[in-house]
Amino acid sequence: MPRLVDHDARRRELIRAALRITARSGLEAATMREIAAEAGVANGALAHYFRDKDELLMAAYQHIFDETNRRAATAIGEAHGLTALRRLCREIMPMDDERVDEARVAVSFWGRAAHNPEMSALHEAAMAEWRSRMLTWLRQNRDSGESTLAEPDERIADKLLAAMMGLQVNVLMAPASTTPDRQVEMLESILGGPLPVQDDIRTGSAATSDNR
Amino acid sequence: MPRLVDHDARRRELIRAALRITARSGLEAATMREIAAEAGVANGALAHYFRDKDELLMAAYQHIFDETNRRAATAIGEAHGLTALRRLCREIMPMDDERVDEARVAVSFWGRAAHNPEMSALHEAAMAEWRSRMLTWLRQNRDSGESTLAEPDERIADKLLAAMMGLQVNVLMAPASTTPDRQVEMLESILGGPLPVQDDIRTGSAATSDNR
């Protein structure tokens, strides 16, 4: 019987194996050998999909970014303006175990990307995409004529992106002062307004998904 | 002639060698062997000062934190309240080559600390110390009766610390949108007021030191 392999599915499984090891034990533990073992494939099979560890790490970082966007798309639905912006931010903010694991991978990735232009470019592209979406929603909010935001949209996006990235670091290494409640209060403070009643301040994505 | 060694000076030189290699080539390049070579000492001499790479990295991270505080103390002088707070933040913000190098080391450190409780605790202690100083200055500002800040001090500190850490990441990996001007605008936006005329918006520490 010939072996039929779904290459996309296999590739995703390898990425998920790399993410599990990195979240659990760190980037140094995530050797190509360990990842192959975790995924239950031969070293050679892993090498067929990813040239080296950096290529796999970049795929893993992209995967986290895509997953965040996928969750955000579900949470956002048909919403727009500040509601959509809030929901994207809540998916980026590390407020539950899944996203704290993502933070662990992201911070590990950054440690390596700090000296790797190709890896850095991936982060830059992610920031540029989020910024672009944020600016669209901020413009929608402004066009509604009901905006209470007094600052340039670019500055609000600067603040949001810096805060979102800083939270990834501090949730891992200063967790007592980086609780979900305080993360949401920070978001609302940057957006300068009270929390809309339809959003549950505590539970983030689960609540916003369930509410739609 | 007996060799007289100033152990504190030697220790600092080893830390600086580790910082130079890490800033230049990354954490993986900073092996104990390379650090010893960079500092011009035997491997055994390095091992006498630092048990292993993690212990040296922690000393290096502490050194960066201490250097930032030393620069801040110079910049702050007798200032207090928001002026003192601004000056500390400007020393943390990666607005010149020296501080971008520090950011590179910090982000590399975080990548490793994400799975190391002892290293994480060092970051947590640094955040706690900065938070405590920020809260003191925010209280001074409030007690002056001239504060225009409408939010709880803790939330302002949360925002500042998240933004300061996020800037370390984004200055390395999204530099085009993390310029010194935009960093200062972000700081002023979080502090909710116009820039005091005695501070030069562009040049950070050099100017604040020269101005005193």
Side-chain angles (χ1 to χ4, degrees):
Chain A
M1 198 169 91
R3 292 175 69 195
L4 297 173
V5 177
D6 176 337
H7 284 289
D8 282 351
R10 168 63 61 90
R11 193 170 182 281
R12 276 196 303 277
E13 180 41 44
L14 294 170
I15 288 171
R16 278 195 286 262
L19 290 171
R20 283 196 301 274
I21 297 178
T22 304
R24 199 166 65 212
S25 315
L27 214 56
E28 285 178 81
T31 62
M32 293 294 268
R33 182 183 299 270
E34 282 299 319
I35 293 163
E38 171 86 14
V41 305
N43 289 346
L46 178 56
H48 174 72
Y49 288 90
F50 300 101
R51 184 175 68 230
D52 55 22
K53 180 169 166 173
D54 281 355
E55 191 175 289
L56 177 48
L57 281 176
M58 289 177 65
Y61 192 71
Q62 182 69 46
H63 181 79
I64 288 180
F65 180 68
D66 294 343
E67 281 295 294
T68 304
N69 288 335
R70 190 190 54 71
R71 288 195 311 263
T74 303
I76 291 167
E78 302 297 316
H80 58 273
L82 288 196
T83 302
L85 176 55
R86 278 188 171 91
R87 289 178 181 175
L88 172 63
C89 290
R90 282 162 179 241
E91 295 302 331
I92 301 171
M93 286 153 56
M95 300 198 290
D96 61 20
D97 289 347
E98 177 187 6
R99 286 170 290 170
V100 171
D101 271 354
E102 289 180 352
R104 214 174 291 279
V105 174
V107 171
S108 300
F109 177 89
W110 295 338
R112 196 160 169 126
H115 290 84
N116 182 317
E118 206 183 348
M119 293 171 96
S120 292
L122 192 61
H123 177 77
E124 184 156 37
M127 290 303 101
E129 184 175 329
W130 279 342
R131 177 183 298 275
S132 164
R133 301 179 69 193
M134 288 174 173
L135 292 176
T136 298
W137 290 319
L138 287 166
R139 194 167 50 243
Q140 286 173 355
N141 172 61
R142 209 163 291 282
D143 290 347
S144 74
E146 295 172 3
S147 175
T148 56
L149 297 175
E151 293 188 298
D153 293 346
E154 280 279 7
R155 188 171 311 147
I156 297 170
D158 280 354
K159 281 198 287 186
L160 287 172
L161 289 170
M164 300 287 116
M165 297 308 107
L167 288 174
Q168 312 294 317
V169 175
N170 285 341
V171 79
L172 301 178
M173 289 176 256
S177 54
T178 317
T179 60
D181 281 2
R182 283 168 79 158
Q183 293 185 43
V184 170
E185 284 165 11
M186 178 185 300
L187 172 63
E188 292 310 317
S189 161
I190 293 172
L191 294 179
L195 197 68
V197 286
Q198 73 268 25
D199 280 357
D200 180 333
I201 195 169
R202 286 173 187 280
T203 50
S205 63
T208 52
S209 306
D210 292 344
N211 287 352
R212 289 192 317 108
Chain B
M1 197 169 90
R3 291 174 70 195
L4 296 173
V5 177
D6 176 338
H7 285 287
D8 282 351
R10 170 62 61 90
R11 193 171 182 278
R12 275 196 305 277
E13 180 44 43
L14 294 170
I15 289 171
R16 278 195 288 261
L19 289 172
R20 282 196 302 274
I21 297 178
T22 304
R24 199 165 64 212
S25 316
L27 214 57
E28 285 177 79
T31 61
M32 293 294 268
R33 182 183 300 269
E34 284 298 318
I35 294 163
E38 170 87 15
V41 305
N43 290 345
L46 179 55
H48 174 73
Y49 287 89
F50 300 100
R51 182 176 70 230
D52 56 22
K53 180 168 165 174
D54 281 354
E55 191 174 292
L56 177 48
L57 282 176
M58 289 177 66
Y61 192 72
Q62 183 69 45
H63 182 79
I64 288 180
F65 180 69
D66 293 343
E67 280 295 294
T68 303
N69 287 336
R70 191 189 53 71
R71 288 194 311 263
T74 303
I76 291 167
E78 301 298 314
H80 57 273
L82 289 196
T83 301
L85 175 56
R86 278 188 171 91
R87 289 178 181 176
L88 172 63
C89 290
R90 281 163 179 240
E91 295 303 330
I92 301 171
M93 286 152 57
M95 300 199 290
D96 62 19
D97 289 348
E98 177 185 7
R99 286 170 290 169
V100 171
D101 271 355
E102 289 181 351
R104 215 176 290 280
V105 174
V107 171
S108 301
F109 177 88
W110 295 338
R112 197 160 169 125
H115 290 84
N116 182 317
E118 206 183 349
M119 292 171 97
S120 293
L122 193 60
H123 177 77
E124 185 157 37
M127 291 303 101
E129 183 175 329
W130 280 341
R131 177 183 298 276
S132 163
R133 301 179 68 193
M134 288 174 174
L135 292 175
T136 299
W137 289 319
L138 287 166
R139 193 167 53 243
Q140 286 173 354
N141 171 61
R142 209 163 291 283
D143 290 348
S144 74
E146 296 173 1
S147 175
T148 56
L149 296 175
E151 294 187 296
D153 293 346
E154 280 278 7
R155 187 171 312 147
I156 297 169
D158 280 353
K159 282 200 286 186
L160 287 172
L161 288 170
M164 301 287 116
M165 297 307 107
L167 288 174
Q168 312 294 317
V169 175
N170 285 341
V171 79
L172 301 178
M173 288 177 257
S177 53
T178 317
T179 61
D181 281 2
R182 284 168 78 158
Q183 293 185 43
V184 170
E185 284 164 13
M186 178 184 301
L187 172 63
E188 292 310 316
S189 161
I190 294 171
L191 294 180
L195 198 67
V197 286
Q198 73 269 25
D199 278 357
D200 180 333
I201 194 168
R202 285 172 188 281
T203 49
S205 62
T208 52
S209 306
D210 292 341
N211 288 351
R212 290 192 315 106

